[in-house]
């Protein structure tokens, strides 16, 4: 029966270890050498515990104690000191493993452990962490770029709008030709539009960074919604879409940003 157990357990894809009630490994299957690069006799008694990285020993002991006191199974991730490979690694190196601890059918405090390599999982985690770092640095760079560009654009736009307003005051600049007055008005309106676009881009970058400060104020909801619809209707028409709205008559003023 024990040989059948060996076969079934090893088919789960790892080295199988039998841990006695005293916490010492009493037996290890031949696959231990394939998984750890160590002969089975090198992990019995305290051979495996001595190879666990010191910060991981507490987690191993806690998981083992849980199973010995009645928990059906526990999983724990460990870094084990094992022989290096022949591709330039040191003679001894630490590698990640996953150990699944299962309560033994004998119910005497002994435990069955299945040890598997976790290098693929560790590699995926490293790649995910690198991707997060890259994404974070990209977002930070984008935010700084938008803030800089927005500042550089707002300065000349404010000047354009300000001088346009100044020139449109005939009491200051003198009588204006109607055509010139129209052109100045167009310049001012275009500058204001560009400034609102720049401010919107800057606000968007603040929202993404979580630093946008809300400024609630009271306003008529229906009027604001109608303005938004009027701005979007031409785009909807180009795409052959019909844009409609339904606003209850009792909706008056709202207080929000």
């Amino acid at each position: 029966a024990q040989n059948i157990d060996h076969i079934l357990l090893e088919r789960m894809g790892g080295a199988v270890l039998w841990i006695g009630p005293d916490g010492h490994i009493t037996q290890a299957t031949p696959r231990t050498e394939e998984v750890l690069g160590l002969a089975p006799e090198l992990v019995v008694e305290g051979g495996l515990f001595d190879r666990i990285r010191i910060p991981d020993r507490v987690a191993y002991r806690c998981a083992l104690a849980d199973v010995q006191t009645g928990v059906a199974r526990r999983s724990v991730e460990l870094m084990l000191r094992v022989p290096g490979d022949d591709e330039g690694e040191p003679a001894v190196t630490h590698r990640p493993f996953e150990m699944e601890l299962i309560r033994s059918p004998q119910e005497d405090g002994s435990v069955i452990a299945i040890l598997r390599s976790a290098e693929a999982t560790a590699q995926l985690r490293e790649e995910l962490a690198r991707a997060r770092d890259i994404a974070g640095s990209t977002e930070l760079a984008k935010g700084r770029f938008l803030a800089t560009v927005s500042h550089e654009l707002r300065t000349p736009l404010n000047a354009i709008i300000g001088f346009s307003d100044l020139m449109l005051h005939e009491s200051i600049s003198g009588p204006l030709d109607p055509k010139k007055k129209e052109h100045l008005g167009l310049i001012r309106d275009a500058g204001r539009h560009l400034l609102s676009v720049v401010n919107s881009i800057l606000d968007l970058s603040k929202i993404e960074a979580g630093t946008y400060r809300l400024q609630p104020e009271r306003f008529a909801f229906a009027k604001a919604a109608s303005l938004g619809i009027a701005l979007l209707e031409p785009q909807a028409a180009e795409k052959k879409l019909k844009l409609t709205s339904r606003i209850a008559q009792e909706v008056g003023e709202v207080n929000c940003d």
Side-chain angles (χ1 to χ4, degrees):
Q2 192 177 23
N3 290 334
I4 295 175
D5 288 343
H6 280 222
I7 296 170
L8 290 175
L9 290 169
E10 286 207 322
R11 281 183 177 176
M12 297 177 72
V16 182
L17 313 173
W18 274 261
I19 304 175
D22 59 358
H24 288 155
I25 295 173
T26 59
Q27 187 181 357
T29 56
R31 197 167 185 180
T32 303
E33 188 162 4
E34 176 187 336
V35 175
L36 287 173
L38 297 167
E41 57 268 20
L42 294 179
V43 301
V44 297
E45 296 297 326
L48 182 70
F49 184 77
D50 290 342
R51 292 179 177 275
I52 299 175
R53 188 177 60 176
I54 292 176
D56 296 337
R57 293 180 182 181
V58 174
Y60 168 72
R61 285 295 193 192
C62 289
L64 180 60
D66 286 345
V67 176
Q68 287 178 324
T69 55
V71 177
R73 63 175 58 204
R74 278 280 187 269
S75 292
V76 61
E77 294 182 355
L78 307 169
M79 291 292 290
L80 296 178
R81 187 177 73 254
V82 296
D85 58 24
D86 298 329
E87 299 179 0
E89 270 192 347
V92 177
T93 185
H94 282 84
R95 287 181 180 164
F97 290 87
E98 180 186 16
M99 178 181 282
E100 186 173 2
L101 299 164
I102 305 171
R103 191 171 56 198
S104 172
Q106 279 77 17
E107 299 289 346
D108 58 353
S110 58
V111 174
I112 300 170
I114 303 171
L115 192 64
R116 307 182 185 92
S117 173
E119 284 191 288
T121 303
Q123 185 177 355
L124 287 174
R125 286 177 178 168
E126 288 178 4
E127 291 176 357
L128 179 59
R130 282 196 296 269
R132 285 175 175 169
D133 289 341
I134 293 171
S137 61
T138 302
E139 288 297 318
L140 182 61
K142 184 182 75 172
R144 288 176 177 171
F145 171 76
L146 288 175
T148 302
V149 170
S150 298
H151 174 73
E152 294 298 327
L153 288 175
R154 288 166 74 181
T155 301
L157 284 172
N158 282 324
I160 292 169
I161 295 168
F163 281 114
S164 298
D165 281 334
L166 186 65
M167 294 173 69
L168 283 169
H169 283 289
E170 296 186 8
S171 60
I172 298 174
S173 61
L176 289 173
D177 178 83
K179 201 67 176 175
K180 288 183 179 179
K181 190 172 183 178
E182 181 186 354
H183 291 168
L184 282 172
L186 291 173
I187 292 171
R188 181 193 59 188
D189 293 342
R192 287 176 175 173
H193 174 69
L194 285 175
L195 184 60
S196 69
V197 171
V198 170
N199 288 333
S200 297
I201 293 172
L202 188 58
D203 287 343
L204 181 60
S205 66
K206 289 180 180 178
I207 291 170
E208 290 180 343
T211 59
Y212 184 80
R213 296 184 63 180
L214 297 177
Q215 296 178 348
E217 59 181 319
R218 297 192 66 81
F219 63 92
F221 178 79
K223 183 177 179 182
S226 298
L227 176 60
I229 292 168
L231 292 173
L232 291 173
E233 274 181 340
Q235 300 177 42
E238 287 180 3
K239 297 179 181 179
K240 297 181 180 179
L241 298 174
K242 184 179 180 181
L243 187 62
T244 61
S245 66
R246 290 194 297 270
I247 303 171
Q249 292 182 353
E250 59 269 20
V251 176
E253 287 191 340
V254 294
N255 185 40
C256 64
D257 187 295

